[in-house]
Amino acid sequence: MDVNKILELHKQAIEKNRKYSRKRFIAEKLINDSGNHYVGLIGPRGVGKTVLFKQLAALNNDSIYISIDSIDIDNLYELIKTLNEFYQYKIFFLDEIHYYKGYQKDLKTIYDFLDVKIFFTSSVSLTLYESVYDLSRRIKIFNIYPFSYREYLAIKENILLETISLKDIKEKRWKTEHIREGHRFKDFITGELMPFSLEEPDILLMLRNILDKIIYRDIPLVAKLTTNELELIKKTLDFIGKSQVDGINYSSLSNNLKITKYKAEQYAKLLEKTFVINIVLPEGTNVLREPKIVMNLPYRLLYKKYDEAIGGLREDFFVECMKISGNKINYLKTKKGKKTPDYLVEENGTRYIVEVGGKGKGIQQFKGINMSKSLIFVDGERLDGIRRPLFLAGFLK
């Protein structure tokens, strides 16, 4: 365990990172967080976790940044103890903690015996609360996502607009500026929602590299899989990316990939755990009704050109907006021979029936449904009836 190397890498990280002046919105929550707990920042590769931790570490001379996947650590507890007792560091920013085997045990030991504050990131959704080491009262988890459309405008264009709600959208309570900034939406959903796009012009090439790391580095850390199974996971994504959104579920994956339904579910949940897909559960309690699978933006563009992928991209965007805003979302099961709206969304106890589509999307699916709680989010300039511009979902609270 080369402490001098860690100290040197910390110094380099802080110096290199001074060029980043703007911080992600979530930075304020982390800075102001208080309480006797450690903080975990969990989110996809490429959303700026590393940059943010370097920015935060630079705010306090008692802080140190450590990239877990860049160095060999034999004993995390002993490392933190040495840096605390001898070098007087009190705040530790541990990047990609899932690369350290046994992090759960060591976090508990550090918490119980050292007077330090730990912040850590992971690109894998960690099951910390299910750990045998009882981390539930010791860890507070924050989720970080790609830019919302609102944050994208604030960081890329220095345009900070107010948040709005689904109720505001329904009742047309927004400002003119919200509508006027919609012209950047195509650039956003085709890749600029990823913070790395601020410096990487070839977004899709970067995304392919990220996907390879997820499949061949991240997933093997959280699941015991054979090399053949990793290739099957890659084929699973290939099938999801090239297919239409409707009808993608565990059964269709099983049938098309010639794998068991159990394996299809396992692979899908690993891909959700590593933030490549979103699994949307159906409305109701019937366990036989399978979830709907959409992709995280903009992975679908690795498998289809924009004009072919746009329908899926719209739904990917809307589901991601619901996750970021914390609104509950379920999909509505289509009955045979009958058209049904896409989603049921709940915001502050109010439930909305939502359809997502292009500018020509109509109200055929809403027959017999209460129109006062219905919305059609369209990718185009339509405000008539219950139609609203899709990009407005990117301003949700």
Side-chain angles (χ1 to χ4, degrees):
M1 185 166 54
D2 190 345
V3 174
N4 288 331
K5 180 180 179 182
I6 291 172
L7 295 172
E8 180 59 31
L9 290 174
H10 163 71
K11 182 179 178 181
Q12 291 177 10
I14 299 304
E15 289 299 322
K16 184 178 179 181
N17 215 57
R18 294 192 187 282
K19 62 180 178 178
Y20 299 107
S21 58
R22 295 176 185 167
K23 297 181 180 68
R24 294 292 310 266
F25 283 174
I26 200 171
E28 186 175 354
K29 290 183 179 180
L30 300 182
I31 292 170
N32 295 328
D33 180 73
S34 60
N36 189 26
H37 55 253
Y38 294 166
V39 173
L41 185 63
I42 312 299
R45 283 183 174 274
V47 296
K49 299 186 299 296
T50 296
V51 170
L52 178 55
F53 263 29
K54 291 176 181 179
Q55 289 174 320
L56 297 180
L59 297 178
N60 191 320
N61 288 332
D62 291 334
S63 300
I64 184 169
Y65 169 83
I66 302 174
S67 178
I68 301 294
D69 65 340
S70 299
I71 55 176
D72 294 324
I73 300 177
D74 299 323
N75 189 309
L76 184 61
Y77 168 76
E78 291 295 336
L79 173 61
I80 300 299
K81 183 180 179 182
T82 298
L83 290 170
N84 174 238
E85 295 181 352
F86 188 80
Y87 294 95
Q88 299 295 294
Y89 284 107
K90 299 176 182 178
I91 305 172
F92 295 82
F93 290 90
L94 310 180
D95 202 5
E96 301 289 21
I97 198 170
H98 60 280
Y99 278 97
Y100 175 72
K101 189 176 181 180
Y103 68 86
Q104 295 172 321
K105 177 183 177 182
D106 279 22
L107 283 179
K108 180 182 183 300
T109 305
I110 294 166
Y111 183 93
D112 290 343
F113 295 102
L114 300 179
D115 184 19
V116 299
K117 180 77 171 184
I118 300 286
F119 293 81
F120 63 85
T121 73
S122 178
S123 299
V124 180
S125 183
L126 302 175
T127 53
L128 288 165
Y129 298 156
E130 300 171 12
S131 166
V132 296
Y133 298 104
D134 185 24
L135 295 169
S136 58
R137 66 182 177 85
R138 298 173 171 89
I139 306 291
K140 183 177 181 180
I141 296 294
F142 290 86
N143 293 307
I144 183 171
Y145 300 100
F147 291 143
S148 67
Y149 194 56
R150 176 174 177 262
E151 187 175 19
Y152 164 72
L153 292 174
I155 291 181
K156 184 176 175 62
E157 304 296 337
N158 200 25
I159 300 171
L160 181 59
L161 300 178
E162 295 178 8
T163 60
I164 53 179
S165 65
L166 283 173
K167 185 177 181 180
D168 292 331
I169 294 173
K170 176 68 179 176
E171 299 177 3
K172 299 183 180 180
R173 293 201 304 258
W174 56 71
K175 293 191 174 180
T176 303
E177 289 79 5
H178 287 106
I179 294 296
R180 288 179 178 172
E181 294 305 325
H183 64 280
R184 296 181 173 89
F185 185 60
K186 181 178 178 181
D187 292 336
F188 174 81
I189 64 170
T190 54
E192 290 191 4
L193 80 160
M194 300 299 290
F196 67 74
S197 68
L198 296 173
E199 292 189 323
E200 297 287 345
D202 195 336
I203 298 172
L204 294 186
L205 177 61
M206 185 72 171
L207 206 64
R208 285 191 185 91
N209 293 335
I210 287 174
L211 192 56
D212 283 343
K213 288 180 180 178
I214 290 171
I215 295 173
Y216 297 111
R217 291 188 64 190
D218 293 342
I219 288 179
L221 287 174
V222 295
K224 294 182 179 179
L225 300 175
T226 65
T227 302
N228 183 56
E229 284 187 290
L230 295 179
E231 293 303 316
L232 281 173
I233 287 178
K234 197 169 185 177
K235 289 181 179 179
T236 298
L237 267 180
D238 192 68
F239 175 71
I240 295 171
K242 291 179 179 178
S243 302
Q244 298 298 317
V245 175
D246 290 337
I248 300 299
N249 52 40
Y250 301 148
S251 291
S252 62
L253 293 176
S254 172
N255 293 334
N256 284 275
L257 297 170
K258 310 302 179 185
I259 56 178
T260 65
K261 193 173 176 182
Y262 169 80
K263 281 295 182 183
E265 182 175 352
Q266 180 191 17
Y267 297 162
K269 287 183 175 178
L270 284 170
L271 289 168
E272 183 180 49
K273 196 180 183 74
T274 48
F275 307 101
V276 182
I277 66 172
N278 279 313
I279 297 174
V280 185
L281 298 176
E283 166 64 8
T285 58
N286 187 342
V287 295
L288 297 178
R289 296 169 68 183
E290 296 190 71
K292 180 177 185 176
I293 296 174
V294 298
M295 304 193 83
N296 282 33
L297 284 173
Y299 281 108
R300 197 175 296 276
L301 290 174
L302 295 180
Y303 304 94
K304 286 183 177 181
K305 293 181 179 179
Y306 173 76
D307 290 343
E308 299 170 335
I310 183 59
L313 291 172
R314 291 167 182 148
E315 291 201 40
D316 297 341
F317 166 74
F318 185 77
V319 171
E320 191 79 1
C321 287
M322 295 307 104
K323 286 182 61 178
I324 293 173
S325 63
N327 290 333
K328 182 181 178 183
I329 180 170
N330 297 98
Y331 89 91
L332 295 170
K333 184 76 172 180
T334 303
K335 295 181 180 179
K336 191 173 183 180
K338 182 180 178 182
K339 291 185 176 181
T340 306
D342 294 318
Y343 299 105
L344 176 67
V345 178
E346 184 173 330
E347 178 190 75
N348 298 325
T350 301
R351 287 153 55 110
Y352 296 88
I353 304 295
V354 174
E355 176 77 6
V356 179
K359 61 183 178 181
K361 180 66 70 172
I363 62 172
Q364 299 89 341
Q365 288 92 335
F366 290 85
K367 186 176 181 181
I369 294 175
N370 181 0
M371 300 298 277
S372 68
K373 292 295 185 290
S374 300
L375 283 166
I376 302 176
F377 280 96
V378 297
D379 188 9
E381 299 82 17
R382 295 197 67 171
L383 286 170
D384 54 309
I386 61 173
R387 297 180 184 88
R388 302 290 184 271
L390 177 59
F391 67 83
L392 288 177
F395 294 103
L396 289 174
K397 297 178 182 178

